[in-house]
Structures are given as structure tokens and as C-alpha cells.
Amino acid sequence: SVMDSTDRVPFYIEECRRMGIHVLPPDINESGENFQVVGKDIRFGLAAVKGVGKGPIQSILQARQEKRFVSLQDFCTRVDLLQLNKRVLENFIKSGAFNSVPGSRAQLLKILDRCLEQGHEVQKDRNSNQISLFDFAEVSGLSREFDEIPLPDIPEFNPAEVLAMEKDTLGLYVSGHPLDEFRTVLEEKTSYHITDLLEDYDQDRMYLGGIITKTKISSTKKGEIMAYCTLEDLSGSIEVLIFPRVLEQYRDLIQQDQIVLIQGRLNAQEDTMKLFAEEIVSLSISADAPSAMSTAQLQQAAKEAAIQ
């Protein structure tokens, strides 16, 4: 009932996890169009993958009625490729929808072009009006032999990259969450879950924690530099405004994928709630964290934003 709302779906996924119900990524061999029950779990629907319309989904379901897909190669020869382009298949792979066939995400993305090329050849042959040896083989009950496309010997993406792919293709994290290891500290240090915020809390000071998923540099009417960011916890997200004085003090923490605790004042008077940041504390210090923007970089970003 809320699958079209990227704000509400994370809340229900987190509630399922709390209740011990597994929420599984979409799967080409199990998913229908929408969410459905699989055993004691809940499986994402194929429609949740970005860029996928009803045409591709119906083509997949129709081909699957014959038998399960056993490989990406098998999928590309059986599903109508006039309905699925390369971008859609990339999104399926990145979202985890091909986890039920051999190959990691990295391996499947590497052989995708070859699978598509072979699939187009097979389907062109199949749709040809001319009787070919392939047609004769089918009529005779024989099967056409294909050269198996081997999986390359390359490593899978690291867990953080896999989660980022899920976020990019599904709009949220499914197999895990960057905040999983910070659950306890977030419960101890924050005032509320983001989805628990009410209009009654307007102008209250509070602590909210989570991961920064978006950042934007802007400038005030006085020409000073400020920033907007989106803070996401395990239940939802909220926009955070960082005014010049606060930005100057904490600009090294205003970076995408930083996990932070923000103390600020809630503004609930507008249609969308916002938090005005007053203090920011890092919850994770990583050598892989991006370096802070310099003042010159911030000024340049603000100039570009003003021009746009």
C-alpha cells in the first residue's frame, strides 16, 4: 500500500526486521509485480526496480511460466529483449534480482553485453520467417547448442558498494543498512526516530542521527555559504539546514555517506519538516571517508548554485 512512497517503505521494512520478518530483494525467479509473501518472508516485487515498466515484467513472468531461469544467458535468450534494454537489466543485477542464478553482481555485469548479443541473435533467428536449421531442430525435438559464456574470475563488490547499488536501483537499502552497526548508539543518543517526529515538536531542540545521503551547497542573500543535506535513519529521512556559522565549524562532516549525530531545532511549520543544525558529531571515523571541502571549494559550489 505504500510501495510508491520512498519515505514510508523504509519504516515498514525496519518494522519487519524488528518483528523477525525478512524482507528480500526482488528476484527474477520468485517475484511478481508487487510485494508478495514467499514462505515466511516478504519478497520485493519487480516493479520496485527503477526504470522497469509493466511490459518488461509481463515478459519475464510469461517466460518464467515454462521453467525457472538458470542463468543470465538463459534469461537473455528467453525473455523478449524488445521489452528490456541494457539499463533495465543492469538495474536488475545491481538490485540483487539475479541472486538466484550463478554469478555475483560483478561477474554478471561483466558478461551482460555478451549475453545480450547472443540473446538478440537467438530471438532474431526465432522470429525470422525463414525456416532455418534451428527451426528444424526445434520441430525435431532437438535443442540448439550454445557456447556457454563463462563467469570471469573477478571479485564481488564490497558490502558497502552492494548496499549503494540497492539504494540506487530500489531507492532504499534491502539486504542490510549502513547504520546496522550503529543501532545501539543511535537508540541511546537520539531523541526520536525520524518518522516519530510530530508537529507538536515544532521549535524543540533534539538529537537526530543517521547517514547523510544527499548534500547541496547554496548561498544566502548576503552571499554567505550554507548547505542542505538529507539525514536518513533506520525509519526515514529529514532535510537538514546548515547555516554559515555552523557549516564553517562542521563542514568536514557535511559529506555524503557520513554517519553523524546532529543536535538542532525542529521546524514543523512547513509542509515538510526540517531540522536546523546547531551541532554535528561524527559517529564513524573511517580512513575511506571523503576529505572535507575546503573553503574555496565551498565558495565555488555556492557560486555555481547561484548561477543555476
Side-chain angles (χ1 to χ4, degrees):
S1 65
V2 298
M3 66 177 298
D4 293 329
S5 172
T6 55
D7 291 333
R8 297 302 294 167
V9 172
F11 168 78
Y12 284 103
I13 288 180
E14 178 60 19
E15 184 66 8
C16 286
R17 287 174 178 154
R18 188 189 66 80
M19 297 173 66
I21 300 172
H22 295 119
V23 180
L24 307 174
D27 188 287
I28 57 167
N29 279 315
E30 288 192 352
S31 293
E33 181 175 349
N34 300 315
F35 287 93
Q36 64 185 42
V37 174
V38 178
K40 295 183 179 181
D41 304 323
I42 294 175
R43 173 75 70 180
F44 257 80
L46 297 175
V49 181
K50 289 184 178 179
V52 179
K54 289 185 177 294
I57 293 172
Q58 292 307 312
S59 182
I60 293 170
L61 298 180
Q62 182 177 355
R64 199 174 73 195
Q65 287 179 351
E66 304 170 11
K67 60 179 179 178
R68 289 171 63 90
F69 301 109
V70 296
S71 66
L72 176 61
Q73 187 176 3
D74 176 46
F75 181 93
C76 289
T77 59
R78 291 168 51 198
V79 176
D80 184 1
L81 294 181
L82 295 177
Q83 299 286 344
L84 287 90
N85 57 35
K86 180 180 176 180
R87 176 59 63 85
V88 169
L89 282 175
E90 285 177 338
N91 286 348
F92 273 135
I93 293 171
K94 291 178 179 179
S95 72
F98 276 89
N99 286 358
S100 60
V101 303
S104 66
R105 287 172 171 87
Q107 290 173 318
L108 295 180
L109 288 172
K110 191 71 174 179
I111 67 170
L112 177 57
D113 284 336
R114 293 180 63 190
C115 291
L116 282 172
E117 182 180 355
Q118 185 184 82
H120 281 297
E121 290 179 0
V122 171
Q123 294 186 26
K124 180 180 178 181
D125 191 13
R126 184 182 299 150
N127 296 331
S128 173
N129 290 326
Q130 297 179 354
I131 295 179
S132 64
L133 290 176
F134 174 42
D135 296 319
F136 178 76
E138 282 193 321
V139 172
S140 303
L142 303 175
S143 60
R144 188 180 189 185
E145 294 294 331
F146 302 106
D147 291 333
E148 182 179 352
I149 300 175
L151 294 171
D153 184 17
I154 57 175
E156 172 61 312
F157 300 108
N158 65 49
E161 290 173 319
V162 169
L163 288 178
M165 288 180 179
E166 290 180 355
K167 179 73 171 180
D168 182 51
T169 56
L170 298 172
L172 58 149
Y173 306 105
V174 180
S175 61
H177 199 288
L179 297 177
D180 283 340
E181 62 180 296
F182 298 95
R183 287 174 180 267
T184 301
V185 68
L186 287 173
E187 289 293 335
E188 293 175 350
K189 301 294 185 181
T190 58
S191 307
Y192 306 98
H193 297 148
I194 290 175
T195 53
D196 292 338
L197 296 175
L198 303 173
E199 292 183 1
D200 293 345
Y201 303 155
D202 182 50
Q203 301 306 310
D204 284 359
R205 277 194 171 86
M206 60 185 61
Y207 286 91
L208 299 179
I211 182 171
I212 295 177
T213 58
K214 296 179 184 177
T215 61
K216 178 184 176 182
I217 301 299
S218 185
S219 58
T220 66
K221 294 180 179 179
K222 296 180 179 179
E224 297 177 304
I225 304 166
M226 64 173 293
Y228 300 82
C229 72
T230 300
L231 181 71
E232 178 179 319
D233 67 6
L234 291 161
S235 70
S237 60
I238 188 172
E239 184 177 43
V240 180
L241 278 66
I242 306 101
F243 292 109
R245 179 184 59 80
V246 179
L247 178 61
E248 180 63 26
Q249 186 175 359
Y250 300 107
R251 65 170 182 257
D252 57 327
L253 299 179
I254 313 300
Q255 304 286 341
Q256 187 167 321
D257 297 330
Q258 286 278 10
I259 298 173
V260 296
L261 183 69
I262 300 180
Q263 187 266 326
R265 187 186 296 275
L266 183 70
N267 181 341
Q269 297 177 358
E270 302 178 21
D271 293 337
T272 303
M273 291 186 185
K274 296 179 176 61
L275 184 71
F276 294 165
E278 297 176 349
E279 182 181 355
I280 304 173
V281 177
S282 174
L283 292 181
S284 65
I285 301 176
S286 170
D288 297 326
S291 58
M293 278 189 177
S294 66
T295 301
Q297 287 174 315
L298 286 168
Q299 291 173 340
Q300 179 62 31
K303 290 178 181 178
E304 292 173 357
I307 293 172
Q308 292 175 355

